[in-house]
């Protein structure tokens, strides 16, 4: 019985005993001398590596478990196959990615280039860390990355078919890594920003337009009006801007954007004296304003050069000014019905926008009139629940009945 117990104890000890882990390191004058090893890294006990490791002019060998019982050497450099008790490997100073296979003795010293990266900001993301470009990520020892920053910002809106991603860097000549921007042409609607920081998604909004500071999970959405805007968002401050895509000024008067079709206007403007018909039409983000010249009055085009030797003037008087960034044409007209005189309507129409044909009205209306954005009367009905807009050009119109009005878009 005692012999059986002893046998079981010995057997149990043998099976519970595990060999110490095997290490492989480099040693020699190319490292820290012949006394201390620099252990290499392994995940399988067979392949060992060191990344971006600096070596001196000199010699080295690979050895196991910090002992000379098992060691590998050769005369080949920068790659070769080490053998037991082989020659010291000759090393040229530099930074290397070093690899060694314990089973085959194969080794390689791959030159690690000096990390002198171009001064170009094309951000990449590695595990939540932003690098200026892929070269910087590679120099940090990474082999995989995703293009773009780790933060993405999208704009959602009730008049957008899908969310719009903002581009990092801002607008214009100066690059700002905290600024994100995009260009949108939209109808009136409610908007908010979706901010994804690595893997966390948050929503930001506010009640201010055209600019403000967005707040996390704010109940009210941004009330965006119809227009074409350069949208910017600062990822640090959460400050946003919806800026009209063009700055338009004629005769020293800044015009306001009317719709997303490039129409600008200024209403009821008085010129106390004859004024040179010059102006600016500048895309947002351009750093230089170039003077443009009118080629006629009361209508014409803004051009880069004077057409005649005689300057064109705006006569003293009061005007409504209209301009199109698409056609470059302007007009000065007598002050007429202003869209700002309208009250918000309680009735609705459909379809809106409409391509052509019949527009339906939600209730029977009297004294129905249809105006264009210049305040010109186009259609009139004494009493109706429908309006035929066939033949009208694409654009923005205003349907009125008494002191009620609603905006209609024809496409």
């Amino acid at each position: 019985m005692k012999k059986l117990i002893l046998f079981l104890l010995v057997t149990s000890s043998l099976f519970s005993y595990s060999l110490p882990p095997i290490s492989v390191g480099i040693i020699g004058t190319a490292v820290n001398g012949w006394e201390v090893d620099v252990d290499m890294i392994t995940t399988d006990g067979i392949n060992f590596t060191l990344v971006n490791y600096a070596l001196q002019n000199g010699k080295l060998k690979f050895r196991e478990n910090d002992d000379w019982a098992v060691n590998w050497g050769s005369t080949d450099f920068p790659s070769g196959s080490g053998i037991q008790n082989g020659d010291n490997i000759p090393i040229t100073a530099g930074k290397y990615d070093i690899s060694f296979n314990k089973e085959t003795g194969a080794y390689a010293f791959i030159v690690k280039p000096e990390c002198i990266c171009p001064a170009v900001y094309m951000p990449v993301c590695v595990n939540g860390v932003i690098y200026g470009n892929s070269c910087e990520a590679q120099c940090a020892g990474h082999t995989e990355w995703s293009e773009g920053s780790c933060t993405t910002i999208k704009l959602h809106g009730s008049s957008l078919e899908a969310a719009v991603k903002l581009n990092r860097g801002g607008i214009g000549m100066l690059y700002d890594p905290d600024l994100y921007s995009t260009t949108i042409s939209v109808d009136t609607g409610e908007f908010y920003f979706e901010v994804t920081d690595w893997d966390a998604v948050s929503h930001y909004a506010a009640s201010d337009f055209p600019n403000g500071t967005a707040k996390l999970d704010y109940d009210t959405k941004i009330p965006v009006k119809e227009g074409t805007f350069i949208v910017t968002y600062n990822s640090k401050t959460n400050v946003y801007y919806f800026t009209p895509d063009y700055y338009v000024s004629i005769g020293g008067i800044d015009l306001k954007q009317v719709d997303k079709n490039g129409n600008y206007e200024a209403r009821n403007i008085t010129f106390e004296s004859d004024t040179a018909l010059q102006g600016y039409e500048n895309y947002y983000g351009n750093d230089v304003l170039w003077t443009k010249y009118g080629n006629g009055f009361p209508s014409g085009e803004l051009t880069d050069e004077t057409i005649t030797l005689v300057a064109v003037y705006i006569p003293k008087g009061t005007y409504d000014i209209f301009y199109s960034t698409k056609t470059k044409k302007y007009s000065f007209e007598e002050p007429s019905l202003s869209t700002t005189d309208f009250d918000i309507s309680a009735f609705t129409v459909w379809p809106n926008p409409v391509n052509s044909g019949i527009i339906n009205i939600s209730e029977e209306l009297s004294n129905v009139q249809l105006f264009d954005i210049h305040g010109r009367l186009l259609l009139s009905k004494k009493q109706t629940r429908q309006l035929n807009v066939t033949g009208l050009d694409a654009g923005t119109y205003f349907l009125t009945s008494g002191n009620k009005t609603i905006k209609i878009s024809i496409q």
Side-chain angles (χ1 to χ4, degrees):
M1 184 65 177
K2 292 182 178 179
K3 290 182 179 180
L4 178 58
I5 294 174
L6 179 60
F7 171 77
L8 292 173
L9 289 173
V10 171
T11 304
S12 175
S13 298
L14 289 174
F15 279 99
S16 63
Y17 176 76
S18 59
L19 294 173
I22 295 174
S23 67
V24 171
I26 55 175
I27 189 170
T29 58
V31 193
N32 296 320
W34 294 104
E35 299 297 329
V36 181
D37 296 69
V38 174
D39 288 339
M40 303 178 73
I41 298 171
T42 184
T43 58
D44 58 10
I46 298 173
N47 296 288
F48 295 79
T49 59
L50 283 175
V51 177
N52 198 27
Y53 194 83
L55 297 175
Q56 310 169 49
N57 289 321
K59 297 182 178 182
L60 64 72
K61 297 186 78 172
F62 297 94
R63 71 175 186 173
E64 185 178 274
N65 294 336
D66 302 331
D67 190 85
W68 288 110
V70 180
N71 68 88
W72 297 265
S74 172
T75 58
D76 297 325
F77 179 82
S79 62
S81 295
I83 59 174
Q84 172 69 20
N85 295 323
D87 292 332
N88 297 333
I89 302 171
I91 301 295
T92 301
K95 286 187 176 181
Y96 299 92
D97 285 347
I98 308 170
S99 62
F100 178 76
N101 186 295
K102 178 180 177 297
E103 292 187 349
T104 65
Y107 62 85
F109 295 82
I110 300 175
V111 176
K112 194 72 174 180
E114 291 295 327
C115 287
I116 303 176
C117 294
V120 177
Y121 195 86
M122 300 180 65
V124 297
C125 179
V126 182
N127 298 328
V129 178
I130 300 175
Y131 293 90
N133 50 52
S134 58
C135 173
E136 293 181 8
Q138 192 172 18
C139 288
H142 300 292
T143 58
E144 295 183 358
W145 50 79
S146 58
E147 294 183 356
S149 70
C150 299
T151 299
T152 58
I153 297 178
K154 294 181 180 179
L155 180 65
H156 294 257
S158 58
S159 59
L160 289 174
E161 292 184 359
V164 177
K165 182 180 178 181
L166 279 65
N167 300 311
R168 193 176 191 210
I171 297 293
M173 300 293 291
L174 298 178
Y175 186 91
D176 186 344
D178 298 323
L179 204 61
Y180 293 73
S181 63
T182 191
T183 302
I184 58 170
S185 292
V186 295
D187 294 315
T188 299
E190 295 183 333
F191 287 67
Y192 68 91
F193 293 95
E194 175 188 290
V195 179
T196 303
D197 190 2
W198 186 231
D199 57 358
V201 180
S202 303
H203 294 163
Y204 288 83
S207 56
D208 300 318
F209 178 83
N211 57 275
T213 301
K215 300 175 180 62
L216 178 64
D217 296 331
Y218 195 69
D219 291 336
T220 304
K221 302 298 188 292
I222 303 169
V224 177
K225 297 181 179 179
E226 179 189 355
T228 298
F229 303 101
I230 305 294
V231 183
T232 57
Y233 189 92
N234 190 302
S235 60
K236 280 191 174 180
T237 64
N238 299 317
V239 171
Y240 61 86
Y241 287 88
F242 287 77
T243 305
D245 58 339
Y246 277 88
Y247 165 69
V248 178
S249 176
I250 298 178
I253 303 300
D254 291 345
L255 277 63
K256 294 182 179 180
Q257 186 183 70
V258 176
D259 55 31
K260 63 183 180 181
N261 299 313
N263 295 308
Y264 285 68
E265 69 177 21
R267 296 271 186 167
N268 201 32
I269 302 300
T270 299
F271 294 88
E272 299 295 343
S273 60
D274 293 354
T275 304
L277 209 167
Q278 298 177 359
Y280 306 101
E281 186 236 52
N282 191 61
Y283 184 73
Y284 179 81
N286 292 347
D287 295 321
V288 179
L289 285 175
W290 297 102
T291 303
K292 294 180 180 290
Y293 303 90
N295 59 4
F297 185 88
S299 63
E301 296 182 22
L302 284 185
T303 64
D304 293 327
E305 298 180 358
T306 53
I307 303 300
T308 63
L309 294 177
V310 179
V312 178
Y313 282 85
I314 305 167
K316 176 183 177 180
T318 300
Y319 307 94
D320 287 345
I321 309 172
F322 305 100
Y323 180 77
S324 170
T325 59
K326 291 187 175 181
T327 65
K328 314 305 178 186
K329 293 182 179 180
Y330 61 84
S331 65
F332 287 76
E333 302 180 12
E334 291 185 7
S336 56
L337 181 63
S338 172
T339 60
T340 57
D341 294 335
F342 295 141
D343 293 331
I344 300 299
S345 172
F347 66 87
T348 59
V349 299
W350 73 91
N352 189 19
V354 62
N355 292 323
S356 65
I358 301 297
I359 290 179
N360 300 292
I361 307 172
S362 62
E363 59 186 82
E364 190 84 12
L365 296 179
S366 58
N367 298 322
V368 178
Q369 295 177 310
L370 185 70
F371 295 87
D372 65 10
I373 62 171
H374 303 314
R376 293 180 290 231
L377 178 62
L378 302 178
L379 297 173
S380 180
K381 294 281 185 180
K382 288 185 177 180
Q383 193 160 348
T384 186
R385 289 194 65 167
Q386 289 184 332
L387 203 64
N388 191 339
V389 296
T390 301
L392 295 181
D393 294 334
T396 300
Y397 298 83
F398 296 91
L399 181 64
T400 72
S401 174
N403 64 349
K404 300 176 182 180
T405 187
I406 193 167
K407 184 167 64 176
I408 295 173
S409 295
I410 299 179
Q411 299 179 341

